[in-house]
């Protein structure tokens, strides 16, 4: 009986590890993994108006596709991702790109004060809480580029193709 239970626990643990990149697990740890399509990624980068020397982050970076495109503009580009499998995948994929940093961390625990641009694609229920964190921590003039979801009170300075750009003012 004990061996059967142990075997079941091992099988379940393996299943969770293998399923980690997929929406079912993401659902329990925050926004599920649902990658932006290439048209959206291109548009987000265009709207972000990136300049060499800036530091940018994608909060909940998934497989790092937004950050990869951003890195081509000469910025210091950070993937912040809670899912260890997606983190490992990006680390392997981008290991030779010097200006990409992969950080396996809960985005709520990241200090955002050094970022000039933040990319977001998270659940609408989290946007209200995020509005406060971003406005409090980011420097004036920095931009937040949100795919699909809008903030509660903050008025976007640009909106195209369901992508909203917000400017921090203090
Ligand atoms: C909708 S996907 C977006 C992926 C990527 N930004 C894109 O546009 O393709 C959301 C990602 O956020 C990650 N995530 C959810 N909650 C998180 C948290 N608290 N901290 C860091 N990452 C988180 C999920 O694992 C998932 O990869």
């Amino acid at each position: 009986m004990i061996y059967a239970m142990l075997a079941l626990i091992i099988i379940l643990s393996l299943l969770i590890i293998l399923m980690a990149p997929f929406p079912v697990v993401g659902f329990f740890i925050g926004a599920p993994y649902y990658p932006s399509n290439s048209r959206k990624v291109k548009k987000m980068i265009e709207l972000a108006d990136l300049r060499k020397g800036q530091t940018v982050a994608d909060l909940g970076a998934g497989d790092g596709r937004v950050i990869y495109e951003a890195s081509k503009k000469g910025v210091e580009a950070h993937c912040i991702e809670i899912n260890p499998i997606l983190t490992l995948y990006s680390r392997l994929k981008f290991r030779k790109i010097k200006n990409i940093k992969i950080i396996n961390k809960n985005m709520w625990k990241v200090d955002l004060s050094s970022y000039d641009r933040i990319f977001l694609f998270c659940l609408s229920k989290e946007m209200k809480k995020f509005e406060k964190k971003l406005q409090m921590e980011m420097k004036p003039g920095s931009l937040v580029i949100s795919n699909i979801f809008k903030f509660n009170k903050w008025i976007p300075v640009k909106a195209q193709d369901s992508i909203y750009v917000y400017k921090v003012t203090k």
Side-chain angles (χ1 to χ4, degrees):
M1 184 66 180
I2 287 235
Y3 289 119
M5 289 285 281
L6 269 177
L8 191 66
I9 290 169
I10 291 170
I11 289 168
L12 280 176
S13 310
L14 282 174
L15 267 177
I16 288 172
I17 290 169
L18 291 172
M19 293 287 290
F22 302 104
V24 66
V25 172
F27 182 80
F28 293 106
I29 57 175
Y33 176 51
Y34 185 81
S36 303
N37 65 39
S38 53
R39 182 175 54 85
K40 282 297 195 86
V41 173
K42 223 172 129 197
K43 197 73 191 169
M44 279 192 270
I45 299 300
E46 183 192 316
L47 291 172
D49 187 26
L50 301 177
R51 316 266 163 88
K52 224 174 176 167
Q54 288 179 333
T55 305
V56 313
D58 186 2
L59 302 183
D63 66 357
R65 58 185 63 200
V66 177
I67 280 311
Y68 174 60
E69 286 307 314
S71 74
K72 294 180 187 170
K73 303 281 180 190
V75 297
E76 173 71 24
H78 296 179
C79 289
I80 315 286
E81 175 54 56
I82 202 166
N83 184 315
I85 305 290
L86 287 166
T87 306
L88 182 65
Y89 174 77
S90 316
R91 277 197 183 131
L92 290 172
K93 198 162 135 199
F94 303 130
R95 67 190 179 283
K96 291 193 176 145
I97 305 178
K98 294 277 176 287
N99 58 329
I100 292 185
K101 192 171 169 191
I102 315 290
I103 302 163
N104 181 213
K105 197 165 176 179
N106 184 341
M107 55 190 167
W108 295 104
K109 295 188 176 157
V110 176
D111 173 9
L112 306 176
S113 58
S114 63
Y115 292 112
D116 301 286
R117 303 286 185 266
I118 293 275
F119 296 96
L120 263 188
F121 183 13
C122 66
L123 292 179
S124 57
K125 66 174 178 169
E126 290 173 326
M127 293 299 276
K128 198 173 166 190
K129 219 167 115 195
F130 246 121
E131 190 170 348
K132 285 188 196 136
K133 180 171 168 64
L134 292 159
Q135 285 181 332
M136 269 176 60
E137 292 180 18
M138 288 182 79
K139 24 183 199 203
S142 50
L143 300 180
V144 179
I145 300 94
S146 175
N147 189 10
I148 299 185
F149 299 107
K150 281 190 197 173
F151 290 114
N152 221 28
K153 296 185 188 145
W154 209 353
I155 312 285
V157 289
K158 282 184 210 163
Q160 274 180 38
D161 204 6
S162 307
I163 296 166
Y164 304 96
V165 181
Y166 297 87
K167 192 171 195 163
V168 180
T169 50
K170 291 211 175 137

